[in-house]
Amino acid sequence: MSTRSPFVGPRPFDTEDAGIFHGRDDETAALATLWRGHALTVLHGPSGVGKSSLLRAGVLPRLARRPPGEVFPVGRPAFRADFPLAALPDHDPFTFTLLTSWYPEESPTRISGSSISGLLRRNVRTDRHGDPVPVLAAIDDADLLFPENRRWEGYRGRLFDDLAEASASFPRLRLLIAVRTDNLGGLVDVLERAGLATGSAARFPLGALRPDAAREAVREPVGDAGHPLAACADELVDALREGETGVDPATLQIVCARLWEEFRSGRATRIADLADVLDHVLRDHCLGALATTADEHGALPGGLVEWFRGAFGGRDDGVPAGRAAAHGIPGTVLRALEDARLLVADRRPDGRRYRLRQARLRPVVRRLAADADVPAPAGRPRLGAAEAAFTAGETELAWRRATAVAADAAGDTRLRGAAECLLGTIARHRDGTALAIEHYEAAAHAFGAAGDAVRVGMLLAAIGRLKIGDGTTEAVNRLQAALARLPGDLFVRTALAHALWHAGRAQAAIAVLDDALSQDGATPEALRLRGELLADLNRAEPALRDLDRVDHGDRPSTRAAWALARRTHEGGAALASTEELELVESADDSGPVLLRVARVLRLGGEADTAAGLAKRAVMARRPPLPRHLRHEAERLM
């Protein structure tokens, strides 16, 4: 065997792979120029064509050589596995995830509750003349924002509204969004609804590698290693494209990674019988991807192989998703096969159609045997795939993938901690509080062994919040013990204040928040919670001071508290405004929010509506109304 492979296989190139990224020089230069010169740039192409690789291993290193301003790390909207969403149960996870990827050095306590505009404003950089420098920010894998499951659609809309506000507030913001072409129409629609001008946006379509670029992508990474791949680059590229105008980058990398491992370096002889070798490599890739997909979806590999052979081994007119569903193959399986670099999707008027990503796969697929031996997986289970599945609302698939990562983590305590954390979040999402606590505790133990006090604090805060449902006394005790262990942790302090408030100890909660804010006066969640509690106590002026310092457009509890504080401060009995009446729709099944809205409407003369909301507040369950607030609800009723 040779040294470390210069080919990445099925995964995308990352920034540290820039030295082995070849064949995209023209595209790299063109995209960098577009990004610098446009407020909005959309990079699109089919799955696996190399959008992430071009951005991370091509464009970012090029810009780093002569920075045009501040260039953020590439953002990704997948929910982070290592953050327990239960620690901040009603925050916008898409915005939080995006901001933590753009600002990796910023404390999560400072990011949570921040808007994109707010964080840009706090971190603005200026040139020597005092003018703001251009900010280049990219969002990769934007397809995660367009799942068939619409569970997170409200959060998606808020994210794009936030992006539109940031674009309007910061004229030197240069935003790049990478998306699959079949989701391009959906992206344009949501951008236009948010108010982003797509008419002036730059669009950059990315296609397959040209034959000369594909040869470069084979030869250049090999260098002077003397590997036979360099000698047979022409033959390999011609064999892969087999009459097509271009070469699929993902297929090329998968094949080259396998050939690098199977043939020794040191002599530049050609690979004998390359066509047969190529058939063998592609066969193993197909069978491995099909077996993994079947396992993740609880299906029998043989049945999936048989369907796949019949669907894609013949003429290539594409397989409609509806036809596949009629044969018992759901959309989640098709998308998994797309992610596994077997298929690509086209969006047509009748819906999505799937086809093989390279025609050279067809004769291989035609000969697949359902009972063939399946090769061992080429790499470890990827946590990113579990994050993507959960973000797409595919919780069962996310659970299977995260479980596989946790089981395979071995001595990697951070990876195990992140996988256990994601399992806890998935369990909480399924309303399995006890199971969520079990996995969060396992994650805290793993991160503790890794010496990561920040994540331990977030997990203990999440556990404490979940314990509130079992009784406020136990929650307060757990959080006080956590605070003794991590006295400076702002997540734990805020969670403790929340538990004290639920226990009816509002003044003690405010004292904890006062102490936290004396440590860091700009912590959004502490300011938000203190403002809400002060509004509940009719202390309108200090409540407004706190709430005016945080972004609360996407938080019903904070919007209701701000409206209550404003009503209390202004006095009088003016009729309820349209904005106040709209709070009713956003209250959902939250007891505290419903009660605050009821109080606002009662002050606005809507006594009957307020009484109905107060009754709903008493019956609410997500979350329930704390016991000490029931008297106020009964008074309004």
Side-chain angles (χ1 to χ4, degrees):
M1 288 295 175
S2 59
T3 57
R4 180 177 178 269
S5 174
F7 300 100
V8 297
R11 72 167 176 86
F13 287 84
D14 213 334
T15 307
E16 59 266 23
D17 300 315
I20 56 173
F21 180 67
H22 296 279
R24 292 292 198 187
D25 288 349
D26 292 345
E27 293 91 337
T28 295
L31 182 57
T33 300
L34 282 179
W35 190 8
R36 284 196 304 260
H38 290 79
L40 175 63
T41 302
V42 178
L43 167 63
H44 66 93
S47 66
V49 79
K51 300 181 295 295
S52 299
S53 299
L54 177 64
L55 183 57
R56 294 170 187 266
V59 175
L60 256 62
R62 181 186 180 90
L63 292 175
R65 290 194 287 271
R66 293 186 63 186
E70 185 174 11
V71 183
F72 286 171
V74 176
R76 186 170 181 258
F79 298 160
R80 284 181 48 170
D82 62 356
F83 181 81
L85 291 185
L88 294 171
D90 59 345
H91 83 308
D92 177 354
F94 282 133
T95 299
F96 175 82
T97 296
L98 185 60
L99 289 176
T100 53
S101 54
W102 280 350
Y103 292 96
E105 302 303 320
E106 187 89 3
S107 166
T109 57
R110 296 291 301 273
I111 289 178
S112 61
S114 294
S115 67
I116 295 172
S117 296
L119 209 54
L120 284 171
R121 193 177 302 113
R122 289 208 306 266
N123 292 275
V124 65
R125 284 174 47 187
T126 57
D127 60 20
R128 57 193 177 90
H129 303 294
D131 297 322
V133 301
V135 174
L136 278 69
I139 302 174
D140 196 12
D141 286 335
D143 308 277
L144 296 173
L145 299 169
F146 300 93
E148 291 184 8
N149 186 314
R150 296 176 176 265
R151 188 186 306 275
W152 312 108
E153 190 166 9
Y155 287 128
R156 183 190 72 179
R158 293 172 193 168
L159 172 65
F160 282 105
D161 288 343
D162 209 0
L163 287 169
E165 180 187 345
S167 184
S169 302
F170 294 87
R172 306 208 74 185
L173 176 63
R174 302 289 181 260
L175 186 63
L176 184 150
I177 302 177
V179 69
R180 294 176 182 175
T181 300
D182 59 306
N183 283 321
L184 179 60
L187 175 64
V188 171
D189 288 345
V190 74
L191 288 172
E192 290 179 345
R193 285 200 301 271
L196 279 161
T198 58
S200 59
R203 296 192 186 185
F204 190 90
L206 187 64
L209 288 165
R210 302 184 311 274
D212 59 326
R215 296 183 188 103
E216 179 186 336
V218 176
R219 288 196 184 102
E220 291 299 323
V222 173
D224 58 0
H227 194 281
L229 266 172
C232 69
D234 290 348
E235 185 182 358
L236 175 61
V237 168
D238 290 342
L240 270 176
R241 70 189 186 98
E242 202 175 61
E244 292 184 292
T245 57
V247 177
D248 175 60
T251 306
L252 182 65
Q253 285 294 318
I254 289 166
V255 168
C256 288
R258 176 73 177 273
L259 296 179
W260 175 270
E261 295 299 330
E262 289 204 358
F263 293 89
R264 293 183 177 275
S265 297
R267 57 182 187 277
T269 57
R270 308 184 73 82
I271 299 174
D273 302 318
L274 181 61
D276 293 338
V277 172
L278 185 57
D279 279 351
H280 180 70
V281 171
L282 293 176
R283 168 192 168 278
D284 283 356
H285 169 54
C286 290
L287 289 175
L290 290 166
T292 299
T293 301
D295 181 62
E296 289 180 341
H297 291 79
L300 293 175
L304 185 57
V305 170
E306 186 175 347
W307 170 82
F308 191 82
R309 184 182 62 225
F312 296 102
R315 61 192 182 94
D316 186 23
D317 57 352
V319 175
R323 187 195 305 169
H327 286 83
I329 306 298
T332 54
V333 170
L334 293 170
R335 289 191 295 277
L337 294 175
E338 191 179 8
D339 292 338
R341 308 303 186 228
L342 286 184
L343 302 177
V344 291
D346 301 315
R347 187 178 288 277
R348 302 185 186 180
D350 61 344
R352 274 191 174 90
R353 281 179 175 258
Y354 290 85
R355 57 182 173 81
L356 292 173
R357 59 184 313 112
Q358 189 88 52
R360 180 63 177 77
L361 286 165
R362 188 167 298 106
V364 176
V365 171
R366 194 178 300 130
R367 295 192 298 270
L368 289 179
D371 59 351
D373 292 334
V374 178
R380 300 171 67 176
R382 292 188 303 113
L383 189 58
E387 293 174 326
F390 182 57
T391 306
E394 299 169 8
T395 53
E396 184 60 37
L397 177 58
W399 182 270
R400 290 174 184 267
R401 287 176 173 174
T403 300
V405 173
D408 191 65
D412 190 338
T413 54
R414 285 186 176 277
L415 180 61
R416 181 173 181 82
E420 291 286 358
C421 182
L422 180 56
L423 289 169
T425 296
I426 297 170
R428 176 69 184 102
H429 185 69
R430 293 169 163 176
D431 290 327
T433 302
L435 187 58
I437 291 173
E438 177 184 330
H439 284 289
Y440 280 159
E441 286 177 336
H445 179 76
F447 281 123
D452 192 333
V454 171
R455 282 176 175 76
V456 170
M458 293 190 296
L459 286 156
L460 293 178
I463 293 167
R465 285 182 181 266
L466 293 175
K467 285 287 185 182
I468 291 174
D470 296 332
T472 55
T473 301
E474 182 179 358
V476 168
N477 291 341
R478 288 290 296 267
L479 287 165
Q480 285 176 332
L483 193 59
R485 178 178 174 185
L486 300 167
D489 191 278
L490 293 173
F491 266 107
V492 175
R493 286 174 183 265
T494 306
L496 174 58
H498 189 259
L500 288 167
W501 172 71
H502 264 273
R505 298 164 60 185
Q507 296 296 345
I510 291 173
V512 170
L513 293 169
D514 288 343
D515 190 40
L517 288 166
S518 69
Q519 176 184 338
D520 186 344
T523 305
E525 284 305 311
L527 282 168
R528 183 190 308 278
L529 181 55
R530 188 173 70 176
E532 291 181 5
L533 303 191
L534 290 169
D536 288 340
L537 295 171
N538 296 321
R539 295 170 59 183
E541 287 191 21
L544 289 172
R545 279 199 301 271
D546 281 351
L547 296 177
D548 283 340
R549 294 177 61 193
V550 298
D551 302 294
H552 50 75
D554 66 331
R555 300 287 283 270
S557 64
T558 310
R559 288 172 57 205
W562 184 84
L564 176 58
R566 186 183 61 176
R567 268 284 175 183
T568 305
H569 179 64
E570 292 175 351
L575 293 177
S577 66
T578 302
E579 181 184 2
E580 289 171 340
L581 292 171
E582 288 174 351
L583 290 171
V584 176
E585 296 181 10
S586 64
D588 200 18
D589 192 38
S590 168
V593 176
L594 286 164
L595 181 58
R596 285 177 188 139
V597 177
R599 292 182 63 190
V600 170
L601 297 186
R602 180 66 182 87
L603 290 170
E606 299 283 341
D608 291 341
T609 305
L613 288 175
K615 184 175 182 180
R616 282 177 57 191
V618 172
M619 304 295 292
R621 288 293 174 267
R622 296 179 66 86
L625 192 67
R627 187 182 302 275
H628 68 282
L629 293 179
R630 286 178 175 268
H631 174 72
E632 177 67 15
E634 290 166 359
R635 183 184 69 80
L636 292 174
M637 289 161 59

